[in-house]
């Protein structure tokens, strides 16, 4: 398994297969609070953009077949992602598609990566794993080479701070 972790955060990024990205991060908070922060629009606005921009919109219809869409504004313009929830086991697991809305390109969900997010807890600490199945090595490599890890590490740090703040 190849690893791409840059050392700029505590999340570990690995490449378990030619078309997969695996992110693992431990949080000093119970899983129900990490899950709550991950799935509540008002809380997602507080961590999702990391230090890369400002959240303009967070829409979450948290049900199987429901849709989600996140839009943030950066110094380079607007960045948006959306997808569909395929499986939901509250506080345990979410499976969803994830589409990057490329500026000036038609939006299509065909061939969208599928991400499985798993929340597990031990001794009050949560391990979050995100397994993204990209469908092709080319798409996986494009995502890895996009610089996504820097923003993701910032995002995970803010998510941990937010989950800890929910304990009080």
């Amino acid at each position: 398994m190849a690893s791409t972790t840059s050392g700029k955060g505590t999340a570990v990024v690995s490449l378990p297969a030619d078309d997969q990205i695996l992110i693992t991060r431990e949080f000093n908070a119970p899983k129900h609070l990490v899950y709550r922060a991950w799935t509540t629009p008002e809380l997602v606005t507080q961590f999702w953009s990391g230090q890369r921009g400002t959240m303009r919109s967070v829409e979450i219809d948290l049900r199987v077949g429901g849709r989600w869409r996140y839009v943030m504004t950066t110094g380079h313009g607007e960045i948006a992602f959306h997808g569909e929830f395929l499986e939901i086991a509250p506080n345990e697991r979410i499976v969803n598609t994830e589409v990057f809305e490329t500026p000036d390109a038609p939006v299509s969900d065909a061939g969208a990566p599928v991400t499985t997010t798993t929340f597990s807890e031990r001794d009050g600490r949560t391990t979050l794993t995100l397994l993204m199945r990209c469908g092709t090595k080319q798409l996986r490599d494009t995502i890895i080479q996009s610089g996504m890890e820097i923003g993701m590490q910032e995002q995970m740090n803010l998510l941990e701070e937010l989950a800890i703040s929910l304990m009080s």
Side-chain angles (χ1 to χ4, degrees), residues 1-97:
M1 179 183 315
S3 178
T4 67
T5 299
S6 67
K8 296 178 181 168
T10 60
V12 176
V13 179
S14 59
L15 308 174
D18 282 350
D19 66 341
Q20 297 178 356
I21 301 169
L22 177 65
I23 299 168
T24 305
R25 169 61 149 85
E26 189 172 295
F27 295 85
N28 190 20
K31 70 178 179 180
H32 74 279
L33 295 179
V34 177
Y35 181 87
R36 180 176 155 204
W38 192 261
T39 59
T40 304
E42 299 78 29
L43 299 176
V44 171
T45 62
Q46 297 178 43
F47 74 87
W48 197 82
S49 62
Q51 306 296 325
R52 303 288 142 185
T54 303
M55 295 305 291
R56 190 172 69 77
S57 174
V58 174
E59 300 168 20
I60 299 174
D61 181 8
L62 190 61
R63 61 182 176 85
V64 173
R67 313 270 311 162
W68 64 275
R69 185 167 191 259
Y70 299 166
V71 181
M72 72 177 192
T73 303
T74 74
H76 303 289
E78 193 171 275
I79 297 173
F81 292 84
H82 73 267
E84 178 181 352
F85 294 107
L86 305 175
E87 296 177 36
I88 298 170
N91 296 316
E92 301 291 333
R93 174 182 157 103
I94 299 171
V95 180
N96 60 272
T97 60

